[in-house]
């Protein structure tokens, strides 16, 4: 007989049928009548199925009566209407085979509750808990819905490289990729490592964004997106930063900043609706145990039009507010998380798209506005998470782009391919990057970004 997944069994309309299922024991409770209730979970859904194991099972005394949380079993039996409360169906076991025991003195996920910080120490086991199982299912659903959203709108999925020779954000926070022996590096005349000896014959690093390569495909195929791992070597130990995260980056040819903001809103709302529809019981769990009000908030934001405001107006609102900020707001500053959150949580009480930032605090590729001091940039800010999306209209004018590179101390010679897009058939185009883990954080209400990715990478943590 084929194994059924617990999710399908719990949703089954039939009872009285013979089934086989398998999973990990969450709890076992011995009853006075000489039988055990086993709560079994297989990761297919949040809920456990209850197994009724009577002591006439041949291995009851030797094995079943000694089962502890974490043990793995295969159950054959009859799916029956439950007489107890709390579940509609349960399995009356005819046979239980123990695949692997778990020593209750050593297994870290016993009956006692254990906090998220401690669970971070055991990433190889934490997926067996309710919270991390639910996060994994929401992550999966969001991945699927991202692909669906773009596919339905004719955006091509482009796989941009992970190893790269150029720094997209110009911030220099890149992880170097090298096969040079660190104990024995040859230097050139200027005292720099001689990268001609290195694997690629030049300096290489892990990508901080697929945008530059994405743009080349958008400027040939129209609308594209990339969705892949992204690496930043910045020393940010916050609940919103990872050293390795996943970024979704759509790029549209023949589009401006306002098209970009429209796409960002449609995209986020599609994803909010999708989790509400397809992750109901996981969301109910988060709503009850992690973040009260989560579902109501997602429902509201899935409908509400996102506010749009210029950076200049936003800074004025922050200055005029009587909120005591740690960093005093002033024009020209990079907004801190406290400012972003104040705008989204207190002033607009929902998502807000801030546009037209000062050119000096943004990357070289953003299109210079006519005022000479701002660029056609946008950040989408959400309550609690702050910046979830960063994007812009791209500078499509060759001379402006070269000027901007020089102003950022970047050598145009290193960006020949990127500049070629402006030399041959240049078009207005725009795109953005969405931090996938920040999205998962927002949809689950998980407080720390390290709890929404299976193996978080952060400074001094591998
Ligand atoms: O604003 P960022 O740096 O934009 C770019 O990289 C552009 N090249 C995107 C584009 O226009 N194609 O990053 C985009 C988003 C941020 O808004 C944030 O959500 C997320 O990526 N992000 C991080 N998420 C987790 N940990 C980090 N260290 C992150 N840095 C950025
Ligand atoms: Mg940004």
């Amino acid at each position: 007989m084929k194994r059924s997944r617990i999710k399908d069994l719990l949703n089954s309309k039939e009872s009285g049928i013979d089934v086989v299922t398998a999973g990990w024991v969450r709890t076992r409770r011995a009853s006075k009548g000489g039988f055990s209730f086993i709560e079994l979970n297989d990761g297919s859904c949040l809920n456990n199925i209850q197994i009724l194991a009577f002591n006439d099972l041949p291995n009851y005394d030797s094995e079943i009566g000694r089962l502890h949380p974490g043990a793995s079993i295969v159950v054959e039996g009859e799916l029956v209407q439950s007489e107890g409360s709390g579940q509609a169906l349960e399995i009356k076991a005819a046979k239980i085979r123990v695949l692997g025991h778990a020593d209750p003195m050593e297994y870290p996920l016993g009956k006692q509750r254990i906090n998220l910080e401690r669970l971070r120490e055991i990433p190889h086991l934490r997926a067996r808990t309710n919270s991390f199982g639910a996060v994994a299912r929401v992550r999966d659903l969001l991945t699927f819905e991202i692909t669906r959203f773009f596919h339905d709108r004719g955006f091509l999925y482009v796989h941009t490289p992970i190893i790269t020779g150029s720094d997209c954000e110009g911030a220099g926070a890149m992880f170097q990729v090298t096969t040079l022996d660190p104990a024995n590096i040859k230097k050139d005349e200027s005292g720099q490592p001689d990268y001609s000896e290195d694997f690629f014959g030049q300096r290489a690093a892990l990508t901080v964004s697929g945008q530059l390569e994405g743009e080349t495909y958008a400027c040939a195929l129209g609308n594209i997106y990339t969705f892949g791992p992204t690496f930043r070597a910045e020393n940010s130990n916050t609940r919103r930063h990872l050293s390795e995260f996943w970024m979704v980056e759509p790029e549209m040819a023949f589009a401006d900043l306002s098209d970009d903001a429209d796409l960002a809103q449609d995209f986020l709302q599609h994803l909010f609706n999708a989790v509400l529809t397809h992750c109901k019981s996981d969301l109910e769990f988060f709503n009850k145990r992690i973040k009260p009000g989560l579902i109501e908030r997602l429902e509201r934001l899935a409908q509400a039009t996102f506010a749009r405001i210029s950076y200049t107006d936003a800074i004025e609102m922050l200055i005029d507010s009587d909120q005591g900020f740690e960093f005093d707001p002033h024009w020209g500053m990079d907004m801190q998380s406290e400012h972003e959150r104040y705008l989204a949580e207190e002033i607009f009480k929902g998502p807000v798209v801030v546009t037209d930032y000062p050119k000096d605090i943004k990357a070289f590729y953003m299109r210079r506005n006519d005022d000479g001091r701002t660029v056609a940039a946008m950040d989408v800010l959400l309550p609690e998470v702050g910046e979830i999306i960063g994007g812009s209209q791209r500078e499509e004018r060759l001379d402006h782009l070269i000027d901007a590179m020089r102003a950022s101390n970047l050598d145009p010679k290193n960006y020949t391919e990127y500049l070629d897009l402006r030399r041959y058939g240049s078009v207005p185009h725009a795109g953005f990057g969405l931090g996938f883990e920040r999205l998962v954080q927002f949809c689950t209400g998980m407080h720390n970004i390290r709890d929404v990715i299976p193996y978080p990478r952060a400074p001094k943590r591998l």
Side-chain angles (χ1 to χ4, degrees), residues 362 379 387 390:
K362 288 292 182 184
D379 277 1
E387 177 193 337

Side-chain angles (χ1 to χ4, degrees), residues 168-169 208-209 211 232 234 240-242 245 247 249 251 365 387-392 394 431-435 438 449:
C168 171
E169 292 305 297
V208 295
S209 160
Q211 178 195 325
R232 303 227 170 148
E234 47 193 43
R240 315 185 310 142
H241 287 89
L242 289 165
F245 61 101
M247 189 158 32
E249 295 181 275
E251 191 72 32
Y365 54 72
E387 177 193 337
I388 189 165
I389 283 179
S392 67
R394 318 306 187 188
F432 62 75
L434 166 123
R438 291 192 186 170
I449 198 165

Side-chain angles (χ1 to χ4, degrees), residues 141-400:
L141 185 274
L142 285 169
T143 305
F144 177 72
E145 290 293 338
I146 285 166
T147 312
R148 189 217 297 268
F149 176 88
F150 287 121
H151 182 81
D152 285 353
R153 282 162 187 74
F155 284 63
L156 299 193
Y157 187 4
V158 174
H159 299 100
T160 51
I162 289 173
I163 301 176
T164 173
S166 61
D167 178 359
C168 171
E169 292 305 297
M174 301 182 85
F175 289 102
Q176 204 172 328
V177 174
T178 181
T179 52
L180 293 176
D181 175 3
N184 201 356
I185 289 182
K186 238 173 71 189
K187 305 269 172 76
D188 62 17
E189 302 92 70
S190 56
Q192 293 299 308
D194 181 5
Y195 289 113
S196 68
E197 303 265 304
D198 203 350
F199 189 87
F200 296 103
Q202 66 172 89
R203 194 178 172 145
L206 297 179
T207 185
V208 295
S209 160
Q211 178 195 325
L212 301 191
E213 294 90 351
E215 278 185 55
T216 68
Y217 267 64
C219 290
L221 299 165
N223 292 345
I224 63 97
Y225 71 105
T226 80
F227 181 13
T230 308
F231 306 87
R232 303 227 170 148
E234 47 193 43
N235 194 11
S236 302
N237 261 306
T238 79
R239 63 175 192 87
R240 315 185 310 142
H241 287 89
L242 289 165
S243 311
E244 175 180 309
F245 61 101
W246 286 64
M247 189 158 32
V248 186
E249 295 181 275
E251 191 72 32
M252 299 176 286
F254 315 107
D256 63 13
L257 189 66
S258 137
D259 300 319
D260 209 24
D262 290 345
L263 180 71
Q265 172 168 339
D266 289 352
F267 182 47
L268 283 173
Q269 292 192 324
H270 173 85
L271 297 174
F272 296 161
N273 276 312
V275 277
L276 286 166
T277 310
H278 300 292
C279 299
K280 268 204 161 71
S281 47
D282 288 324
L283 282 196
E284 277 158 18
F285 167 79
F286 289 124
N287 199 66
K288 195 160 145 213
R289 303 295 279 273
I290 303 283
K291 174 88 206 155
L294 175 76
I295 293 180
E296 184 274 326
R297 183 170 77 179
L298 283 170
E299 281 170 348
R300 189 162 48 79
L301 302 195
Q303 310 296 334
T305 308
F306 294 11
R308 292 188 198 183
I309 183 178
S310 73
Y311 167 91
T312 303
D313 290 347
I315 290 289
E316 245 161 56
M317 287 179 142
L318 292 172
I319 292 173
D320 290 346
S321 78
D322 44 18
Q323 176 85 353
F325 293 111
E326 193 184 335
F327 293 92
D328 271 342
H330 60 270
W331 201 94
M333 81 182 311
D334 212 354
M335 277 188 209
Q336 303 292 316
S337 153
E338 56 172 342
H339 306 125
E340 296 177 342
R341 291 187 48 182
Y342 187 78
L343 287 169
E345 288 163 28
E346 304 299 328
I347 299 189
F348 293 101
K349 306 207 182 322
V352 46
V353 187
V354 180
T355 61
D356 304 294
Y357 284 74
K359 67 175 174 15
D360 294 338
I361 57 168
K362 288 292 182 184
F364 68 93
Y365 54 72
M366 299 186 177
R367 192 179 197 279
R368 187 79 54 93
N369 286 328
D370 292 340
D371 63 12
R373 56 180 209 150
T374 61
V375 286
M378 66 163 196
D379 277 1
V380 180
L381 313 179
L382 289 185
E384 273 163 74
V385 171
E387 177 193 337
I388 189 165
I389 283 179
S392 67
Q393 185 171 340
R394 318 306 187 188
E395 183 56 82
E396 85 284 13
R397 299 161 298 185
L398 184 64
D399 49 341
H400 281 82

